[in-house]
Amino acid sequence: QVTLVESGGGLVQAGGSLRLSCAASGSRFAINAMGWYRQAPGKQRELVAAITSGGRSHLADSVKGRFTISRDNAKNTAYLQMNSLKPEDTGVYYCAADTSYSLTGEYDYWGQGTQVTVSS
């Protein structure tokens, strides 16, 4: 039973910053891939950022230069530092984790989601 505990969502004005955290626990095997997805009403879920335990990372083009994903392997925790936030960044952000090394494939474990709202 793998549990992902998320924190850090909230309301922020455009240009502001938020830091999301996701701690994974309960896996029999190593969590190799951790990532963040976001979804707005009426839109498909999209991958924002992901990272392996070895530090290989992926960022969506829309957030490059503004967001940074990092990871503390000892804590099985992933972080998403979001700077220079824009209203179009608004959505429900979901943490995801998997034992595979794929950053863009299917994730087996998901957090409950946390709302990020960026006002103009």
Side-chain angles (χ1 to χ4, degrees):
Q1 188 80 17
V2 177
T3 300
L4 304 181
V5 179
E6 301 165 308
S7 62
L11 302 172
V12 65
Q13 290 188 332
S17 298
L18 286 173
R19 191 189 194 214
L20 306 183
S21 299
C22 173
S25 62
S27 178
R28 293 185 181 182
F29 307 100
I31 298 295
N32 294 313
M34 298 187 72
W36 292 94
Y37 286 77
R38 67 186 179 192
Q39 186 172 27
K43 295 184 178 180
Q44 288 193 321
R45 182 179 61 191
E46 64 173 341
L47 179 65
V48 176
I51 189 169
T52 67
S53 59
R56 177 169 57 90
S57 64
H58 167 85
L59 289 174
D61 289 341
S62 60
V63 305
K64 287 181 178 177
R66 300 187 298 120
F67 291 12
T68 301
I69 188 167
S70 60
R71 178 169 174 168
D72 184 337
N73 290 330
K75 298 179 179 180
N76 262 344
T77 300
Y79 306 93
L80 185 66
Q81 180 66 47
M82 304 185 292
N83 298 324
S84 301
L85 282 162
K86 303 175 180 179
E88 52 262 43
D89 295 317
T90 294
V92 179
Y93 283 67
Y94 297 91
C95 179
D98 202 88
T99 58
S100 78
Y101 290 93
S102 175
L103 296 179
T104 59
E106 179 182 336
Y107 283 80
D108 287 337
Y109 310 112
W110 293 85
Q112 78 286 352
T114 184
Q115 178 70 40
V116 172
T117 302
V118 184
S119 62
S120 60

mmCIF file with all atom_site columns, all heavy atoms in Angstrom, residues 1-5 22-27 109-111:
data_model
loop_
_atom_site.group_PDB
_atom_site.id
_atom_site.type_symbol
_atom_site.label_atom_id
_atom_site.label_alt_id
_atom_site.label_comp_id
_atom_site.label_asym_id
_atom_site.label_entity_id
_atom_site.label_seq_id
_atom_site.pdbx_PDB_ins_code
_atom_site.Cartn_x
_atom_site.Cartn_y
_atom_site.Cartn_z
_atom_site.occupancy
_atom_site.B_iso_or_equiv
_atom_site.pdbx_formal_charge
_atom_site.auth_seq_id
_atom_site.auth_comp_id
_atom_site.auth_asym_id
_atom_site.auth_atom_id
_atom_site.pdbx_PDB_model_num
ATOM 1   N N   . GLN A 1 1   ? 0.851  -1.185 0.000   1.00 0.00 ? 1   GLN A N   1
ATOM 2   C CA  . GLN A 1 1   ? 0.000  0.000  0.000   1.00 0.00 ? 1   GLN A CA  1
ATOM 3   C C   . GLN A 1 1   ? 0.887  1.236  0.000   1.00 0.00 ? 1   GLN A C   1
ATOM 4   O O   . GLN A 1 1   ? 1.510  1.558  1.008   1.00 0.00 ? 1   GLN A O   1
ATOM 5   C CB  . GLN A 1 1   ? -0.914 0.015  1.224   1.00 0.00 ? 1   GLN A CB  1
ATOM 6   C CG  . GLN A 1 1   ? -1.958 1.100  1.205   1.00 0.00 ? 1   GLN A CG  1
ATOM 7   C CD  . GLN A 1 1   ? -3.135 0.707  0.335   1.00 0.00 ? 1   GLN A CD  1
ATOM 8   O OE1 . GLN A 1 1   ? -3.310 -0.465 0.015   1.00 0.00 ? 1   GLN A OE1 1
ATOM 9   N NE2 . GLN A 1 1   ? -3.932 1.676  -0.044  1.00 0.00 ? 1   GLN A NE2 1
ATOM 10  N N   . VAL A 1 2   ? 0.931  1.911  -1.132  1.00 0.00 ? 2   VAL A N   1
ATOM 11  C CA  . VAL A 1 2   ? 1.764  3.095  -1.288  1.00 0.00 ? 2   VAL A CA  1
ATOM 12  C C   . VAL A 1 2   ? 0.914  4.329  -1.072  1.00 0.00 ? 2   VAL A C   1
ATOM 13  O O   . VAL A 1 2   ? -0.163 4.478  -1.671  1.00 0.00 ? 2   VAL A O   1
ATOM 14  C CB  . VAL A 1 2   ? 2.428  3.137  -2.671  1.00 0.00 ? 2   VAL A CB  1
ATOM 15  C CG1 . VAL A 1 2   ? 3.241  4.420  -2.831  1.00 0.00 ? 2   VAL A CG1 1
ATOM 16  C CG2 . VAL A 1 2   ? 3.321  1.914  -2.860  1.00 0.00 ? 2   VAL A CG2 1
ATOM 17  N N   . THR A 1 3   ? 1.399  5.211  -0.229  1.00 0.00 ? 3   THR A N   1
ATOM 18  C CA  . THR A 1 3   ? 0.703  6.445  0.081   1.00 0.00 ? 3   THR A CA  1
ATOM 19  C C   . THR A 1 3   ? 1.562  7.630  -0.326  1.00 0.00 ? 3   THR A C   1
ATOM 20  O O   . THR A 1 3   ? 2.758  7.667  -0.031  1.00 0.00 ? 3   THR A O   1
ATOM 21  C CB  . THR A 1 3   ? 0.375  6.532  1.576   1.00 0.00 ? 3   THR A CB  1
ATOM 22  O OG1 . THR A 1 3   ? -0.448 5.434  1.954   1.00 0.00 ? 3   THR A OG1 1
ATOM 23  C CG2 . THR A 1 3   ? -0.361 7.828  1.894   1.00 0.00 ? 3   THR A CG2 1
ATOM 24  N N   . LEU A 1 4   ? 0.942  8.593  -0.995  1.00 0.00 ? 4   LEU A N   1
ATOM 25  C CA  . LEU A 1 4   ? 1.605  9.829  -1.369  1.00 0.00 ? 4   LEU A CA  1
ATOM 26  C C   . LEU A 1 4   ? 0.945  10.971 -0.610  1.00 0.00 ? 4   LEU A C   1
ATOM 27  O O   . LEU A 1 4   ? -0.264 11.161 -0.705  1.00 0.00 ? 4   LEU A O   1
ATOM 28  C CB  . LEU A 1 4   ? 1.510  10.081 -2.871  1.00 0.00 ? 4   LEU A CB  1
ATOM 29  C CG  . LEU A 1 4   ? 2.037  8.984  -3.798  1.00 0.00 ? 4   LEU A CG  1
ATOM 30  C CD1 . LEU A 1 4   ? 1.894  9.412  -5.257  1.00 0.00 ? 4   LEU A CD1 1
ATOM 31  C CD2 . LEU A 1 4   ? 3.487  8.664  -3.485  1.00 0.00 ? 4   LEU A CD2 1
ATOM 32  N N   . VAL A 1 5   ? 1.741  11.709 0.131   1.00 0.00 ? 5   VAL A N   1
ATOM 33  C CA  . VAL A 1 5   ? 1.247  12.824 0.921   1.00 0.00 ? 5   VAL A CA  1
ATOM 34  C C   . VAL A 1 5   ? 1.743  14.114 0.300   1.00 0.00 ? 5   VAL A C   1
ATOM 35  O O   . VAL A 1 5   ? 2.955  14.351 0.230   1.00 0.00 ? 5   VAL A O   1
ATOM 36  C CB  . VAL A 1 5   ? 1.694  12.721 2.388   1.00 0.00 ? 5   VAL A CB  1
ATOM 37  C CG1 . VAL A 1 5   ? 1.173  13.917 3.184   1.00 0.00 ? 5   VAL A CG1 1
ATOM 38  C CG2 . VAL A 1 5   ? 1.203  11.423 3.002   1.00 0.00 ? 5   VAL A CG2 1
ATOM 39  N N   . CYS A 1 22  ? 5.830  16.188 -2.052  1.00 0.00 ? 22  CYS A N   1
ATOM 40  C CA  . CYS A 1 22  ? 5.147  14.905 -2.120  1.00 0.00 ? 22  CYS A CA  1
ATOM 41  C C   . CYS A 1 22  ? 6.039  13.844 -1.521  1.00 0.00 ? 22  CYS A C   1
ATOM 42  O O   . CYS A 1 22  ? 7.132  13.595 -2.033  1.00 0.00 ? 22  CYS A O   1
ATOM 43  C CB  . CYS A 1 22  ? 4.802  14.560 -3.566  1.00 0.00 ? 22  CYS A CB  1
ATOM 44  S SG  . CYS A 1 22  ? 4.115  12.900 -3.790  1.00 0.00 ? 22  CYS A SG  1
ATOM 45  N N   . ALA A 1 23  ? 5.580  13.211 -0.462  1.00 0.00 ? 23  ALA A N   1
ATOM 46  C CA  . ALA A 1 23  ? 6.321  12.155 0.208   1.00 0.00 ? 23  ALA A CA  1
ATOM 47  C C   . ALA A 1 23  ? 5.639  10.815 -0.047  1.00 0.00 ? 23  ALA A C   1
ATOM 48  O O   . ALA A 1 23  ? 4.455  10.650 0.233   1.00 0.00 ? 23  ALA A O   1
ATOM 49  C CB  . ALA A 1 23  ? 6.411  12.429 1.701   1.00 0.00 ? 23  ALA A CB  1
ATOM 50  N N   . ALA A 1 24  ? 6.400  9.862  -0.564  1.00 0.00 ? 24  ALA A N   1
ATOM 51  C CA  . ALA A 1 24  ? 5.895  8.524  -0.842  1.00 0.00 ? 24  ALA A CA  1
ATOM 52  C C   . ALA A 1 24  ? 6.339  7.567  0.249   1.00 0.00 ? 24  ALA A C   1
ATOM 53  O O   . ALA A 1 24  ? 7.477  7.625  0.725   1.00 0.00 ? 24  ALA A O   1
ATOM 54  C CB  . ALA A 1 24  ? 6.390  8.038  -2.201  1.00 0.00 ? 24  ALA A CB  1
ATOM 55  N N   . SER A 1 25  ? 5.441  6.669  0.632   1.00 0.00 ? 25  SER A N   1
ATOM 56  C CA  . SER A 1 25  ? 5.775  5.680  1.646   1.00 0.00 ? 25  SER A CA  1
ATOM 57  C C   . SER A 1 25  ? 5.008  4.390  1.390   1.00 0.00 ? 25  SER A C   1
ATOM 58  O O   . SER A 1 25  ? 3.984  4.383  0.707   1.00 0.00 ? 25  SER A O   1
ATOM 59  C CB  . SER A 1 25  ? 5.465  6.204  3.048   1.00 0.00 ? 25  SER A CB  1
ATOM 60  O OG  . SER A 1 25  ? 4.081  6.464  3.199   1.00 0.00 ? 25  SER A OG  1
ATOM 61  N N   . GLY A 1 26  ? 5.509  3.284  1.936   1.00 0.00 ? 26  GLY A N   1
ATOM 62  C CA  . GLY A 1 26  ? 4.806  2.023  1.892   1.00 0.00 ? 26  GLY A CA  1
ATOM 63  C C   . GLY A 1 26  ? 5.127  1.112  0.732   1.00 0.00 ? 26  GLY A C   1
ATOM 64  O O   . GLY A 1 26  ? 4.533  0.033  0.627   1.00 0.00 ? 26  GLY A O   1
ATOM 65  N N   . SER A 1 27  ? 6.049  1.480  -0.127  1.00 0.00 ? 27  SER A N   1
ATOM 66  C CA  . SER A 1 27  ? 6.382  0.657  -1.287  1.00 0.00 ? 27  SER A CA  1
ATOM 67  C C   . SER A 1 27  ? 7.367  -0.439 -0.907  1.00 0.00 ? 27  SER A C   1
ATOM 68  O O   . SER A 1 27  ? 8.337  -0.199 -0.199  1.00 0.00 ? 27  SER A O   1
ATOM 69  C CB  . SER A 1 27  ? 6.956  1.507  -2.413  1.00 0.00 ? 27  SER A CB  1
ATOM 70  O OG  . SER A 1 27  ? 7.317  0.698  -3.524  1.00 0.00 ? 27  SER A OG  1
ATOM 71  N N   . TYR A 1 109 ? 0.943  4.974  -8.818  1.00 0.00 ? 109 TYR A N   1
ATOM 72  C CA  . TYR A 1 109 ? 0.513  5.545  -7.548  1.00 0.00 ? 109 TYR A CA  1
ATOM 73  C C   . TYR A 1 109 ? 0.287  7.035  -7.681  1.00 0.00 ? 109 TYR A C   1
ATOM 74  O O   . TYR A 1 109 ? 1.058  7.744  -8.328  1.00 0.00 ? 109 TYR A O   1
ATOM 75  C CB  . TYR A 1 109 ? 1.555  5.254  -6.459  1.00 0.00 ? 109 TYR A CB  1
ATOM 76  C CG  . TYR A 1 109 ? 1.958  3.807  -6.407  1.00 0.00 ? 109 TYR A CG  1
ATOM 77  C CD1 . TYR A 1 109 ? 3.234  3.406  -6.776  1.00 0.00 ? 109 TYR A CD1 1
ATOM 78  C CD2 . TYR A 1 109 ? 1.049  2.833  -6.014  1.00 0.00 ? 109 TYR A CD2 1
ATOM 79  C CE1 . TYR A 1 109 ? 3.596  2.071  -6.744  1.00 0.00 ? 109 TYR A CE1 1
ATOM 80  C CE2 . TYR A 1 109 ? 1.402  1.498  -5.980  1.00 0.00 ? 109 TYR A CE2 1
ATOM 81  C CZ  . TYR A 1 109 ? 2.673  1.121  -6.349  1.00 0.00 ? 109 TYR A CZ  1
ATOM 82  O OH  . TYR A 1 109 ? 3.031  -0.205 -6.324  1.00 0.00 ? 109 TYR A OH  1
ATOM 83  N N   . TRP A 1 110 ? -0.770 7.499  -7.022  1.00 0.00 ? 110 TRP A N   1
ATOM 84  C CA  . TRP A 1 110 ? -1.193 8.889  -7.155  1.00 0.00 ? 110 TRP A CA  1
ATOM 85  C C   . TRP A 1 110 ? -1.568 9.490  -5.822  1.00 0.00 ? 110 TRP A C   1
ATOM 86  O O   . TRP A 1 110 ? -2.118 8.816  -4.944  1.00 0.00 ? 110 TRP A O   1
ATOM 87  C CB  . TRP A 1 110 ? -2.403 8.985  -8.091  1.00 0.00 ? 110 TRP A CB  1
ATOM 88  C CG  . TRP A 1 110 ? -2.078 8.633  -9.494  1.00 0.00 ? 110 TRP A CG  1
ATOM 89  C CD1 . TRP A 1 110 ? -2.047 7.392  -10.048 1.00 0.00 ? 110 TRP A CD1 1
ATOM 90  C CD2 . TRP A 1 110 ? -1.721 9.548  -10.529 1.00 0.00 ? 110 TRP A CD2 1
ATOM 91  N NE1 . TRP A 1 110 ? -1.689 7.471  -11.373 1.00 0.00 ? 110 TRP A NE1 1
ATOM 92  C CE2 . TRP A 1 110 ? -1.491 8.777  -11.693 1.00 0.00 ? 110 TRP A CE2 1
ATOM 93  C CE3 . TRP A 1 110 ? -1.578 10.934 -10.595 1.00 0.00 ? 110 TRP A CE3 1
ATOM 94  C CZ2 . TRP A 1 110 ? -1.118 9.369  -12.905 1.00 0.00 ? 110 TRP A CZ2 1
ATOM 95  C CZ3 . TRP A 1 110 ? -1.212 11.519 -11.785 1.00 0.00 ? 110 TRP A CZ3 1
ATOM 96  C CH2 . TRP A 1 110 ? -0.992 10.729 -12.924 1.00 0.00 ? 110 TRP A CH2 1
ATOM 97  N N   . GLY A 1 111 ? -1.274 10.757 -5.679  1.00 0.00 ? 111 GLY A N   1
ATOM 98  C CA  . GLY A 1 111 ? -1.751 11.501 -4.537  1.00 0.00 ? 111 GLY A CA  1
ATOM 99  C C   . GLY A 1 111 ? -3.169 11.990 -4.753  1.00 0.00 ? 111 GLY A C   1
ATOM 100 O O   . GLY A 1 111 ? -3.776 11.771 -5.805  1.00 0.00 ? 111 GLY A O   1
#
